[in-house]
């Protein structure tokens, strides 16, 4: 009799675990572009809406370098437009145009020593002036922007937030985590807020980094930028980290190690197959 309780509890636990796993797998979607199964508990439209609010507030609180008279700001917009056009064409050809529903691309250069760049759901991109000292040329900037934009279009933020939601036991109705919940806002901030401290950021997973490198290179090449520039860029990034007491922000989630560079070399033939230099 006494032992009946633990047994019942064990059975209940098993049922609960089964239900949790069943809903977990139901919420797993196959990424149309990468082919990898990923957890997506959040509606893309909800994320885009919140991203827009965060983006506008970030731009209002930081010094945006306006295009037109500034060559660097113009370059950021030009690279962004070319990559977004290449991605739209690629998705359309594959019959995946609806993956980009709600995307309203924006590319802003922000005056900051920080070595960083990011793209939020919906195509909201920021490049920091500090990054340009390391990219040094337009093709290398295209490699970084291609990488960051891939994180957004491959719904990596949704996946990281969903993993965080499961870890925190966030209430999930159907397959969608409830949005009007303070925990949801905290998750969003942890994954996306550019002002968040590095220590609270959920780290990019190795899968996500690999995908962002892989498709980012391809997209930069499709946009007419030489993907080979990725190698010297990452070497410069590693050198910057080695020579500075405070390593670039970007490196906290993007280690510029030998593994990354070796992987990029492996990916290069595929990227080069997409490469058509602009104007040729
Ligand atoms: Zn990344």
């Amino acid at each position: 009799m006494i032992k009946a309780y633990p047994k019942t509890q064990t059975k209940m636990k098993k049922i609960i675990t089964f239900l949790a796993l069943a809903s977990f797998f139901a919420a797993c979607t196959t990424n149309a572009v990468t082919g990898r199964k990923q957890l997506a508990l959040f509606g893309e439209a909800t994320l885009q809406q919140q991203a827009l609010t965060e983006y506008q507030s970030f731009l209002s609180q930081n010094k945006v370098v306006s295009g037109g008279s500034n060559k660097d700001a113009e370059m950021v917009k030009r690279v962004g437009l070319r990559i977004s056009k290449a991605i739209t064409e690629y998705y359309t050809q594959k019959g995946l145009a609806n993956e980009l529903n709600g995307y309203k691309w924006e590319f802003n250069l922000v005056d900051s020593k920080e070595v960083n760049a990011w793209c939020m759901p919906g195509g909201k991109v920021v490049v920091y002036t500090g990054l340009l000292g390391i990219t040094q040329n337009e093709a290398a900037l295209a490699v970084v922007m291609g990488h960051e934009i891939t994180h957004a279009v491959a719904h990596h933020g949704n996946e990281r937030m969903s993993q965080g939601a499961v870890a925190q036991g966030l209430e999930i109705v159907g397959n969608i985590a409830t949005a009007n919940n303070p925990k949801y806002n905290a998750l969003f901030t942890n994954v996306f807020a550019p002002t968040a401290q590095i220590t609270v950021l959920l780290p990019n997973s190795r899968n996500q980094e690999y995908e962002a490198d892989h498709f980012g290179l391809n997209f930069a090449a499709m946009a007419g930028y030489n993907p080979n520039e990725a190698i010297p860029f990452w070497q410069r990034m590693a050198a910057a980290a080695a020579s500075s007491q405070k390593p670039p922000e970007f490196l906290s989630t993007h280690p510029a190690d030998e593994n990354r560079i070796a992987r990029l070399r492996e990916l290069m033939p595929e990227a080069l197959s997409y490469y058509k230099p602009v104007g040729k």
Side-chain angles (χ1 to χ4, degrees), residues 160-191:
R160 281 199 282 156
M161 279 182 68
S162 302
Q163 288 162 345
V166 170
Q168 291 183 20
L170 199 72
E171 188 185 347
I172 292 162
V173 178
N175 291 328
I176 299 291
T178 48
N180 53 353
N181 181 323
K183 279 186 185 167
Y184 166 85
N185 290 325
L187 272 175
F188 187 93
T189 308
N190 280 353
V191 172

Side-chain angles (χ1 to χ4, degrees), residues 66-274:
S66 48
S69 57
N70 184 288
K71 283 204 161 74
D72 288 339
E74 264 182 43
M75 174 173 69
V76 166
K77 286 190 198 301
R78 178 170 61 242
V79 171
L81 281 173
R82 279 190 192 163
I83 291 176
S84 60
K85 194 166 161 266
I87 290 176
T88 306
E89 280 171 13
Y90 177 79
Y91 275 54
T92 306
Q93 275 171 13
K94 291 198 151 242
L96 301 170
N98 60 352
E99 287 282 311
L100 297 173
N101 279 349
Y103 267 70
K104 291 195 179 71
W105 298 97
E106 271 189 73
F107 311 97
N108 282 292
L109 179 64
V110 164
D111 190 12
S112 162
K113 281 186 185 129
E114 231 179 85
V115 176
N116 210 354
W118 41 262
C119 176
M120 282 188 183
K124 306 299 185 196
V125 177
V126 159
V127 172
Y128 297 78
T129 48
L131 176 71
L132 301 181
I134 299 180
T135 52
Q136 293 180 9
N137 62 68
E138 192 162 331
L141 175 65
V143 165
V144 180
M145 288 177 73
H147 176 105
E148 289 307 315
I149 288 170
T150 300
H151 278 314
V153 297
H155 312 306
H156 285 167
N158 195 341
E159 186 179 19
R160 281 199 282 156
M161 279 182 68
S162 302
Q163 288 162 345
V166 170
Q168 291 183 20
L170 199 72
E171 188 185 347
I172 292 162
V173 178
N175 291 328
I176 299 291
T178 48
N180 53 353
N181 181 323
K183 279 186 185 167
Y184 166 85
N185 290 325
L187 272 175
F188 187 93
T189 308
N190 280 353
V191 172
F192 293 111
T195 48
Q197 292 299 308
I198 286 305
T199 46
V200 299
L201 278 173
L202 297 175
N204 292 0
S205 78
R206 223 182 269 184
N207 274 339
Q208 292 189 347
E209 278 309 296
Y210 184 77
E211 285 172 3
D213 276 347
H214 179 187
F215 290 94
L217 271 192
N218 289 354
F219 294 145
M222 287 173 203
Y225 294 106
N226 188 346
N228 279 312
E229 285 296 335
I231 310 286
F233 162 74
W234 281 106
Q235 287 166 340
R236 288 194 293 275
M237 193 62 118
S243 68
S244 134
Q245 285 181 325
K246 187 180 172 286
E249 183 110 325
F250 192 67
L251 288 176
S252 61
T253 45
H254 296 83
D257 53 22
E258 282 305 312
N259 289 341
R260 172 162 241 133
I261 291 171
R263 229 168 42 210
L264 285 166
R265 287 191 206 281
E266 283 169 17
L267 293 169
M268 208 53 75
E270 183 184 317
L272 284 167
S273 74
Y274 290 112

